[in-house]
Amino acid sequence: MTAPKHGKETSGTRDRILIEASRLLSTNGYRGTTTREIAAAVGISQPSLFFHFSNKRAIVEELYRRDLVPAVAGLENLIVAEASPAAKLFALIQGETTRILDSPYDMRAHISYEALNDPDLAPFRELIRQFDDLTNLIIRSGQESGQFDAGDPWLAQQMVSGFLARANLFVLSDEVRRQSHPEEAAALILRGLLSDPTTLDEVRSEAAALLARYVPDVPTPPD
Amino acid sequence: MTAPKHGKETSGTRDRILIEASRLLSTNGYRGTTTREIAAAVGISQPSLFFHFSNKRAIVEELYRRDLVPAVAGLENLIVAEASPAAKLFALIQGETTRILDSPYDMRAHISYEALNDPDLAPFRELIRQFDDLTNLIIRSGQESGQFDAGDPWLAQQMVSGFLARANLFVLSDEVRRQSHPEEAAALILRGLLSDPTTLDEVRSEAAALLARYVPDVPTPPD
DNA sequence: CAATCAGCCTATCAAATGATAGACTACATG
DNA sequence: CATGTAGTCTATCATTTGATAGGCTGATTG
């Protein structure tokens, strides 16, 4: 359980734990991140963590919940929208990159290979798989409609996924880049996929109308 | 030191350790991979590892040495070649993907974020940085020559790097994909970058002549 | 045959790790 | 004032981890 040992949390420490843990998880991985490291990053003693979270896994579960659940929900919104597959993919890349950049949590870990294998994180594997499958679905329907070149949709999906997995490196770049990158990145990837690259600007415009469907509100601390 | 405790190794166990360790490192990370897990995967007792390698770190160092040193060398070969930047990038993506696929080691770990941070792996960070910088150099010279669209070269580089980081997922795919993926992947990425996408086939042909410069021999066991 | 050595094994160690228990402090409330 | 509670702390525990030490076996060589 992620419920605090006691009543209502007011200190903000719980959220600081999530933020610091997300950074450590992204660089050290789940098993490679110790509770002592998290505690030190937050500035509390290691056993204090267990006032806020029942165990180490609960920290990670909460992070995944805040990241993957909105992402999959947003992607599902895109799937049902009345728009071309290319616009959907554009919106996905732009929206997801924006979302990652705007998140207080460093969510690189969400797509790490480790996450796909650790027994503790098994419940979240399904969510990652869903995200990938829905991406693949958009690509395939783009190919069926002729908007995208024929080719292995899986390969295109790897290009998207690989790129998004690095989206958090953008947080290390300057503000000018941060503003332009989501859209520029989407354009770069789409240009590689479109059968007719001259349609890119149309796609871009169409995608702009879709963005609100994708970018969920940044998760707020609970309660 | 990576020298065995005793004389000449003949059993092949050392190489099996490297292979199994590479897989575990790719999925669990360095700190998350225990020597007991490696030993179990090889089918020996945990302390037996230390007959073959002086410590855990030495295993990883050897893997990095086999992976990164040839990659950077191959990339340096491409840089000095008389060829267009686009052909160089095409050859890089195709060649690196091929090399990863042909390697007996699962080299996903080489580009993990963890690798960029663990103090034990610091000496290899420089090699990774070199690989990235040389990739960036090719992209930038493609932009200067007009072959590639203007845009943030860093962004293009992230797309390449992100994709290559996932290249090892291809080992999980069927043989038909394995054969076509390196070239198809390169084409997909280049199409997104080229100012004139109609030049793609020329680039592809030019790159074919470059490949021998990039793909180093798969490392053989030492001694 | 004896000696040597590669390549393992079991037992063990020191240190690290996630977690528990009890205590303490500061603050809010009745 | 007393009481309750959030939120920390130190001390400690059981387990895990990388590594060492000593021993054993089988194959090879002289």
Side-chain angles (χ1 to χ4, degrees):
Chain A
M1 290 300 105
T2 57
K5 280 181 179 175
H6 304 114
K8 210 172 190 36
E9 284 230 20
T10 57
S11 66
T13 300
R14 192 170 188 274
D15 206 59
R16 281 190 295 113
I17 291 168
L18 289 169
I19 289 168
E20 294 299 334
S22 76
R23 290 176 184 157
L24 289 163
L25 288 161
S26 292
T27 56
N28 300 329
Y30 176 56
R31 285 166 68 173
T33 298
T34 67
T35 56
R36 283 169 173 82
E37 285 174 313
I38 298 170
V42 175
I44 56 176
S45 71
Q46 181 258 347
S48 301
L49 288 181
F50 299 95
F51 173 81
H52 302 272
F53 294 92
S54 53
N55 53 42
K56 181 181 172 185
R57 172 182 166 166
I59 300 174
V60 177
E61 283 180 339
E62 182 62 22
L63 283 168
Y64 271 111
R65 213 169 51 71
R66 290 181 184 207
D67 179 58
L68 287 179
V69 175
V72 172
L75 184 45
E76 278 166 350
N77 279 350
L78 284 189
I79 293 284
V80 301
E82 297 282 350
S84 71
K88 286 176 181 180
L89 190 63
F90 196 105
L92 168 61
I93 294 162
Q94 185 175 357
E96 179 66 5
T97 307
T98 301
R99 192 183 68 85
I100 289 166
L101 289 175
D102 289 348
S103 173
Y105 314 111
D106 182 339
M107 296 315 305
R108 281 174 283 174
H110 95 270
I111 208 117
S112 74
Y113 302 114
E114 183 191 19
L116 299 180
N117 288 284
D118 199 279
D120 274 4
L121 307 178
F124 292 95
R125 227 173 284 148
E126 179 61 18
L127 280 178
I128 292 170
R129 197 191 58 75
Q130 279 177 39
F131 192 90
D132 285 347
D133 286 352
L134 292 176
T135 305
N136 193 282
L137 179 61
I138 294 177
I139 291 165
R140 270 187 288 116
S141 62
Q143 290 175 329
E144 280 153 24
S145 71
Q147 259 193 319
F148 294 149
D149 273 340
D152 188 344
W154 187 81
L155 188 57
Q157 189 218 301
Q158 294 311 311
M159 188 171 63
V160 174
S161 301
F163 184 82
L164 290 177
R166 299 180 77 93
N168 279 285
L169 292 179
F170 299 171
V171 308
L172 309 177
S173 60
D174 61 51
E175 185 62 26
V176 174
R177 271 179 175 165
R178 287 165 62 91
Q179 289 302 316
S180 65
H181 274 189
E183 187 170 340
E184 199 177 327
L188 181 56
I189 292 171
L190 263 287
R191 198 152 55 229
L193 288 172
L194 287 165
S195 301
D196 180 3
T198 64
T199 60
L200 183 57
D201 286 342
E202 289 170 36
V203 171
R204 191 190 297 239
S205 299
E206 194 185 358
L210 282 185
L211 273 177
R213 283 199 158 223
Y214 185 74
V215 186
D217 288 339
V218 175
T220 52
D223 299 334
Chain B
M1 291 297 103
T2 57
K5 279 184 177 175
H6 303 115
K8 209 174 189 42
E9 283 229 21
T10 56
S11 67
T13 300
R14 192 169 188 274
D15 207 58
R16 280 191 295 118
I17 292 168
L18 288 169
I19 289 167
E20 294 299 335
S22 74
R23 288 173 185 158
L24 289 163
L25 288 162
S26 291
T27 56
N28 299 330
Y30 175 57
R31 286 164 69 173
T33 298
T34 68
T35 54
R36 282 170 173 83
E37 284 173 314
I38 298 170
V42 175
I44 58 176
S45 73
Q46 180 257 349
S48 301
L49 287 180
F50 300 95
F51 174 79
H52 301 272
F53 293 93
S54 55
N55 53 43
K56 180 181 171 183
R57 173 183 165 163
I59 300 174
V60 177
E61 283 181 341
E62 181 62 23
L63 282 168
Y64 270 110
R65 212 170 51 73
R66 293 182 181 205
D67 178 58
L68 287 179
V69 175
V72 171
L75 185 45
E76 280 167 349
N77 280 350
L78 283 190
I79 293 284
V80 300
E82 298 283 348
S84 71
K88 286 175 180 179
L89 190 63
F90 195 106
L92 168 61
I93 295 163
Q94 186 177 356
E96 178 67 3
T97 308
T98 302
R99 192 183 68 85
I100 288 167
L101 288 176
D102 288 349
S103 173
Y105 313 112
D106 181 339
M107 296 318 303
R108 279 175 284 175
H110 96 268
I111 208 116
S112 75
Y113 302 112
E114 185 192 16
L116 299 179
N117 287 285
D118 199 279
D120 273 2
L121 306 178
F124 293 95
R125 226 173 285 147
E126 179 61 19
L127 281 178
I128 293 170
R129 196 192 57 76
Q130 279 178 35
F131 192 88
D132 285 349
D133 287 351
L134 293 175
T135 304
N136 194 282
L137 179 60
I138 293 178
I139 291 165
R140 271 188 289 115
S141 60
Q143 289 175 330
E144 282 154 22
S145 71
Q147 257 191 322
F148 294 149
D149 272 342
D152 189 344
W154 187 82
L155 188 57
Q157 188 218 302
Q158 293 312 312
M159 188 172 64
V160 174
S161 301
F163 184 81
L164 290 176
R166 298 180 76 96
N168 279 285
L169 291 180
F170 298 171
V171 309
L172 308 177
S173 57
D174 61 50
E175 186 59 27
V176 175
R177 271 178 175 168
R178 287 167 60 93
Q179 290 302 317
S180 65
H181 273 190
E183 187 170 340
E184 199 177 326
L188 181 57
I189 292 171
L190 261 290
R191 197 155 52 227
L193 289 171
L194 285 168
S195 301
D196 180 4
T198 64
T199 61
L200 183 58
D201 285 343
E202 290 171 36
V203 169
R204 190 191 297 240
S205 300
E206 193 184 357
L210 282 183
L211 272 178
R213 285 198 156 225
Y214 185 73
V215 186
D217 288 339
V218 175
T220 53
D223 303 332

